[in-house]
Amino acid sequence: PLMRSSHIRHAWDPHKSVAQNLAEMGLAEDPNKAVPIPKKLLGMGMEVENDGQQPGKKIVRKPYVVNEMELEASLPEKKSNTLSRDLIDYVRYMIQSHGDNYKEMARDEKNYYQDTPKQIKRKINVYKNFYPEEYKSFIASLKPEKMEVQ
């Protein structure tokens, strides 16, 4: 999981140990050692193991790694305004086959997800909200077909 971050991957020195690489970037190898337990908690009966290592002041040679990671984490999350093609096809098939009869949709053999009528209705509403124009034109294209059948 460490190397998933492009910032760490680019700053990594293969000739150094994991501990050395992380220390140079200002990152912690062991989060338990990086964040000290407040003395207030120690008095409440919590024991802290001492492994003999003195937490010395480390020199951060590559502070830009942490800075870039913090900047990336502060950016707003991209919202995906698309639905999967499978979901769109599923919803359109259900509407085409059953109109607005959600109970029939739930019984349909193509209801692979085994959705309840409420779940199918919710998926159709999501499709309506994401693609209102496409939904309107799809519904309009169904009306002549139904007139021919009658």
Side-chain angles (χ1 to χ4, degrees):
L2 253 185
M3 293 310 239
R4 280 193 199 139
S5 169
S6 61
H7 308 295
I8 294 175
R9 201 175 14 227
H10 294 304
W12 199 264
D13 184 348
H15 304 295
K16 293 184 178 171
S17 72
V18 173
Q20 288 171 324
N21 269 301
L22 291 176
E24 282 186 355
M25 293 178 213
L27 298 171
E29 181 181 19
D30 182 355
N32 296 318
K33 292 177 186 163
V35 181
I37 298 171
K39 290 193 187 316
K40 209 174 10 176
L41 290 178
L42 292 175
M44 299 170 122
M46 287 185 71
E47 292 179 34
V48 177
E49 293 176 27
N50 188 0
D51 58 1
Q53 284 188 327
Q54 282 292 333
K57 190 77 178 147
K58 292 187 173 110
I59 299 165
V60 179
R61 290 191 173 88
K62 300 176 182 175
Y64 61 89
V65 176
V66 173
N67 296 341
E68 287 170 359
M69 289 173 78
E70 285 175 348
L71 178 69
E72 194 176 288
S74 70
L75 295 173
E77 216 174 298
K78 289 180 186 170
K79 284 191 177 175
S80 167
N81 280 351
T82 58
L83 299 177
S84 73
R85 194 73 241 167
D86 288 344
L87 180 68
I88 294 169
D89 293 343
Y90 171 75
V91 164
R92 292 180 85 165
Y93 165 80
M94 289 299 186
I95 294 170
Q96 200 165 8
S97 302
H98 307 289
D100 59 0
N101 187 339
Y102 302 110
K103 286 183 181 175
E104 281 296 314
M105 291 178 191
R107 288 190 209 112
D108 192 294
E109 64 181 17
K110 290 203 175 174
N111 181 8
Y112 305 123
Y113 308 105
Q114 296 186 345
D115 289 332
T116 64
K118 263 188 174 176
Q119 289 171 316
I120 295 171
K121 185 176 183 178
R122 199 175 303 125
K123 285 182 179 182
I124 291 171
N125 285 333
V126 167
Y127 173 64
K128 272 187 207 177
N129 295 334
F130 269 70
Y131 303 105
E133 295 302 315
E134 187 180 314
Y135 176 77
K136 283 177 193 166
S137 61
F138 172 65
I139 295 301
S141 73
L142 293 178
K143 286 185 177 153
E145 287 177 29
K146 286 191 176 175
M147 285 178 188
E148 289 169 19
V149 172
Q150 289 175 339

